[in-house]
Amino acid sequence: MKALTDTLTDRVDAFLKESFSVERRDGGDEAEIAICEAIEVIIRRRRNKRLVHSRLPADIIHCVFSLALDLDRIHEPDLPLDVLEDHRKQLFRMRCVSAAWNEFLVSGPRYWPAVNLRTPSDILKTHLQRAEEAPLCIYSINRTERRRGSPPLPDELPLLAFMPQVRTIRSNNDEFLPVWKGLLQCDMPTLETLDLTASVDWGDLLDELVAEWLSGNLPMVRNVIARGWQPLSNVAWLANLRSLVFRRPTRLDVNLLRILGQCSNLSRLRIEVDGTGWNDEEPEDSLPNISLPNLRKLELEFDVLQDVRHLVRRLDIPQSAQGSLNITYAPQSEEAVEDLAHFIFPEGTGSKPPTNPLLQIHNLTRQPLPVTYTAGTRSITFAVPDRTEEWDLFENILVVLQNRLNNPPLHVHLDSPTDLQAGTLRRLGNLNVQLIRAKCSAGFLDNIIAAIGSRHENLPSGTVEGDHNWPFESLRELILERADLSLGQIPRLVGIRRRYLKTSSKEWLKRITLVDCNLRGMSLLTATQQLAGIEVTLVAEGCRYPSKN
């Protein structure tokens, strides 16, 4: 090996000496450095051609690069803009790996579909040339918080010739609206996704301007995401939409209802409405009904329940469609509660109501505390009133929802319940609650036992209670996860109402499951035997006692 190295060194020295003698008179030391750098590049390229990745079939390399660059996701409507921007950065990093990788990527049009409007004009032209006829995704991201002053607006002229091959437009940057004006008025026969933000500060005037820009023919558009603007209700391309999303700020008015009335082929609809409430003076009888026979997913977020009535009561969608309704403030009237029941299960459908609804009490330490009621394919999230004098209204909401479904067994889930969550659970004591599942971190188990085990708020002490007003009489199963408990609490939870159950010939808990709990005190065998004596099954999964040193 040393002999080979010595021979190559002599030959390289002779070659360099000859090269330097030719160039020295023209550039001196700088010429020698340039020659060394040029030779280094030639040798590196020759070496890279012998590496494994340089000898792989082209289709395999395309597959590897496509996965690394998420090429299949570039045109997904729900792809976060930050992820889209990461594509450009990842492309640059991969080009820096080697000259072979750079040459391969630069020569492949499929790697250049994502075009950032912030790109300087000269680089933008090169980018578009490399993309050739590939479907384009043009986007702009609001990153002014990272810069000083407003960025200069790009020149849209290089893009105009490429607009016929644009498949996706994404922007959350309202500063670029003057640029989008020139682009959106072009012919876009292949546009499928339009995600555009308009500034709320511009008011209704901007809303109308954006709608006018999009009044032309968009034969292939299928997905629209609008922030702060609405399309015209008479444009033909509304009938082609498969997904329509209105982000905040959005107002619910007659125009929005008319827009929805034209979107007969929608499979997904999401509307986020601000808390301004319905302010249109048009008579309710004249408002259009909305038939969406192909809808598969409905997502509504309202601040004011009045908005729910104007929309939900006019929606005709399949009962199989997944639907979620999120209301910021708790309903304040019986009429509003009936609107919630209509959303969960409309009357007169001829179908059977869903069974085993679920009430999830969310793990938050602030008020108002949100809860989610789910039945079949529909769910409603609303706030629990933070004033005790309004708690009857909270109970009434759940009673109306349960009655709409013929009062089926209700399942309740809690996660690390604090006093706030336990207080909410206690208000459910008169409902048909058949299962409670609680994830209890350290210190919170007592909240659960106190809520379901006694008619008093204190922890059950072992004293036999009276013969009436027991909470959760319908409860049949209790599941505790990740709890740190003295196992003697479990038999006592059932035992304190034993006399009441005997005298009234009623049944209560039939199964208690402990999952991944830390146990202490009474042995598991003893607890299991005691509970079996009163016809309660105790199951422990992944539980443990503290190790003895």
Side-chain angles (χ1 to χ4, degrees):
M1 185 65 182
K2 184 177 184 305
L4 177 61
T5 302
D6 292 341
T7 300
L8 291 176
T9 300
D10 292 340
R11 292 182 179 180
V12 171
D13 288 343
F15 172 75
L16 291 176
K17 183 177 181 180
E18 180 181 355
S19 301
F20 292 161
S21 65
V22 174
E23 299 294 339
R24 179 180 293 277
R25 60 177 176 269
D26 295 333
D29 293 339
E30 293 183 0
E32 291 187 11
I33 294 174
I35 292 174
C36 290
E37 290 177 347
I39 294 173
E40 182 182 356
V41 170
I42 294 172
I43 293 175
R44 186 169 63 248
R45 286 180 177 175
R46 189 178 183 87
R47 170 184 174 275
N48 288 341
K49 290 181 179 180
R50 300 296 184 269
L51 295 177
V52 175
H53 65 71
S54 297
R55 292 185 279 114
L56 289 173
D59 56 345
I60 294 180
I61 298 177
H62 280 311
C63 289
V64 173
F65 285 178
S66 296
L67 290 173
L69 293 170
D70 278 334
L71 292 185
D72 292 339
R73 303 184 63 199
I74 293 298
H75 295 286
E76 289 183 2
D78 294 328
L79 181 68
L81 276 172
D82 287 340
V83 176
L84 187 58
E85 175 68 359
D86 288 341
H87 162 82
R88 181 181 62 85
K89 297 177 181 178
Q90 179 70 352
L91 178 62
F92 176 79
R93 288 191 290 264
M94 293 178 68
R95 290 179 61 192
C96 294
V97 171
S98 70
W101 282 33
N102 179 61
E103 183 179 349
F104 192 89
L105 290 168
V106 168
S107 61
R110 71 177 69 185
Y111 303 112
W112 302 89
V115 181
N116 190 346
L117 276 185
R118 287 188 179 276
T119 306
S121 295
D122 54 341
I123 300 177
L124 181 62
K125 292 177 182 178
T126 302
H127 192 141
L128 292 171
Q129 291 171 356
R130 289 171 178 168
E132 296 182 2
E133 297 180 358
L136 296 179
C137 171
I138 302 176
Y139 69 96
S140 64
I141 300 179
N142 187 3
R143 296 189 181 277
T144 54
E145 70 279 3
R146 301 182 183 181
R147 300 167 179 256
R148 291 184 177 180
S150 299
L153 294 179
D155 182 6
E156 72 268 17
L157 290 179
L159 278 168
L160 292 178
F162 291 86
M163 292 307 291
Q165 68 191 69
V166 172
R167 179 181 294 179
T168 303
I169 290 177
R170 305 281 305 279
S171 174
N172 66 357
N173 190 345
D174 58 321
E175 293 184 57
F176 279 44
L177 281 173
V179 179
W180 286 116
K181 176 183 178 181
L183 299 178
L184 294 175
Q185 292 177 326
C186 295
D187 186 25
M188 291 182 288
T190 62
L191 182 67
E192 294 183 5
T193 298
L194 174 64
D195 177 356
L196 190 61
T197 295
S199 172
V200 67
D201 296 334
W202 289 33
D204 295 341
L205 177 61
L206 182 61
D207 189 337
E208 296 172 0
L209 288 175
V210 175
E212 290 293 337
W213 300 343
L214 295 166
S215 60
N217 186 26
L218 302 174
M220 296 299 294
V221 68
R222 296 295 181 268
N223 311 290
V224 169
I225 302 174
R227 296 179 180 89
W229 64 277
Q230 296 178 5
L232 299 177
S233 60
N234 60 352
V235 291
W237 51 263
L238 288 175
N240 300 328
L241 291 182
R242 299 296 183 269
S243 174
L244 178 58
V245 178
F246 289 104
R247 301 285 189 191
R248 298 177 188 271
T250 298
R251 65 178 181 273
L252 183 63
D253 54 17
V254 175
N255 184 64
L256 182 58
L257 297 182
R258 288 172 176 161
I259 290 172
L260 297 180
Q262 300 300 316
C263 302
S264 56
N265 289 307
L266 279 183
S267 60
R268 183 205 175 192
L269 173 62
R270 180 180 180 88
I271 304 177
E272 303 170 5
V273 178
D274 289 313
T276 55
W278 181 273
N279 56 8
D280 206 303
E281 297 181 356
E282 188 161 345
E284 291 193 16
D285 294 341
S286 65
L287 300 180
N289 289 326
I290 303 165
S291 178
L292 304 176
N294 300 313
L295 199 68
R296 295 293 175 265
K297 188 173 185 179
L298 174 65
E299 302 163 284
L300 304 176
E301 290 189 9
F302 293 151
D303 286 343
V304 181
L305 196 59
Q306 181 184 6
D307 290 334
V308 177
R309 156 155 299 193
H310 290 291
L311 180 60
V312 171
R313 291 285 183 173
R314 286 170 174 77
L315 275 179
D316 181 12
I317 63 176
Q319 189 61 30
S320 60
Q322 296 286 336
S324 63
L325 171 60
N326 193 321
I327 306 169
T328 302
Y329 304 105
Q332 297 294 323
S333 67
E334 293 185 5
E335 188 177 55
V337 174
E338 287 295 331
D339 292 335
L340 299 185
H342 178 84
F343 180 80
I344 285 290
F345 184 69
E347 291 180 318
T349 61
S351 57
K352 294 182 179 180
T355 57
N356 296 324
L358 169 66
L359 181 71
Q360 182 179 359
I361 304 175
H362 294 282
N363 179 20
L364 294 176
T365 58
R366 59 173 174 81
Q367 292 181 319
L369 179 72
V371 297
T372 299
Y373 182 91
T374 302
T377 60
R378 306 293 170 85
S379 67
I380 298 175
T381 299
F382 60 95
V384 177
D386 52 3
R387 295 186 299 178
T388 56
E389 58 267 24
E390 295 179 351
W391 278 56
D392 288 342
L393 178 60
F394 167 66
E395 293 181 60
N396 181 58
I397 294 173
L398 296 176
V399 168
V400 171
L401 295 178
Q402 284 287 99
N403 288 341
R404 176 60 63 93
L405 305 180
N406 298 327
N407 197 27
L410 178 64
H411 294 185
V412 179
H413 288 188
L414 305 94
D415 190 356
S416 298
T418 61
D419 291 340
L420 187 59
Q421 283 86 0
T424 302
L425 176 64
R426 191 174 290 112
R427 304 300 300 186
L428 310 178
N430 294 325
L431 298 180
N432 187 22
V433 176
Q434 206 163 77
L435 180 148
I436 295 176
R437 186 183 192 115
K439 294 181 180 179
C440 302
S441 55
F444 292 129
L445 177 64
D446 290 352
N447 289 319
I448 294 298
I449 294 180
I452 68 176
S454 170
R455 68 168 180 257
H456 301 303
E457 295 187 5
N458 62 302
L459 183 67
S461 61
T463 303
V464 177
E465 295 278 355
D467 294 337
H468 58 280
N469 295 331
W470 283 87
F472 296 101
E473 290 194 358
S474 58
L475 187 63
R476 295 296 180 268
E477 184 173 359
L478 174 65
I479 302 174
L480 301 177
E481 298 184 27
R482 303 175 188 176
D484 183 5
L485 75 153
S486 173
L487 202 51
Q489 291 177 284
I490 302 302
R492 184 156 55 97
L493 173 67
V494 182
I496 61 174
R497 70 167 75 185
R498 186 63 180 163
R499 190 183 73 180
Y500 166 71
L501 296 174
K502 285 184 177 181
T503 57
S504 59
S505 299
K506 292 183 177 180
E507 293 183 341
W508 195 46
L509 271 175
K510 306 302 293 182
R511 181 184 179 90
I512 299 176
T513 303
L514 308 178
V515 180
D516 197 22
C517 293
N518 296 317
L519 308 179
R520 63 181 186 276
M522 180 184 295
S523 70
L524 185 60
L525 178 60
T526 302
T528 302
Q529 291 174 342
Q530 288 189 9
L531 288 170
I534 52 178
E535 299 180 346
V536 178
T537 301
L538 177 63
V539 178
E541 302 174 357
C543 299
R544 67 198 69 83
Y545 284 88
S547 59
K548 297 180 180 179
N549 297 328

